[in-house]
Structure formats: C-alpha cells, structure tokens
Amino acid sequence: MNAESDKTSPGESPTPDRLLHAGSEGEYTAEDLILASGRDVNPKSLAWAERRMAERGRASLDELLP
C-alpha cells in the first residue's frame, strides 16, 4: 500500500465534524426513529416508535444516533 494514499489530495479537506455527526436538534417523526434503529417502517414498528417517543422524548432518537 502506498503511504501517500492516506493523505488528502490537494484541494481536498477532511469532512467537517458537523457533517459527520447527527442529532435530534430539529423535529423528528416516528419514521425517523424507525429508520435510525434500522427497522422497516410498518404498523408494528410505528407503534414501537410512538411508544418510545412518548416514554423518552428527544432522548429516544439521541440514543440511536452517533
């Protein structure tokens, strides 16, 4: 492996931290929670997400995101 391949190319810069991490600063839906958990959207998972959101509030999504 070439040692040069680990360096960024001229004109390229590392991805800013704000783009690498997500959070629930804004509004989110039950579907967002389902997708963040890796589940399929269906009636059973919608019920799960709605319960989780009611119990944990914003933390329900924060716990699943980096």
Side-chain angles (χ1 to χ4, degrees), residues 2-52:
N2 186 350
E4 292 295 317
S5 64
D6 291 338
K7 296 180 182 178
T8 57
S9 301
E12 279 188 37
S13 59
T15 304
D17 193 51
R18 64 182 168 75
L19 297 177
L20 294 174
H21 300 279
S24 60
E25 295 86 18
E27 294 297 316
Y28 65 99
T29 65
E31 289 86 357
D32 295 330
L33 185 60
I34 293 166
L35 295 174
S37 72
R39 300 172 188 223
D40 291 327
V41 178
N42 58 49
K44 184 178 178 182
S45 63
L46 281 170
W48 166 82
E50 289 168 356
R51 281 192 313 274
R52 187 174 171 117

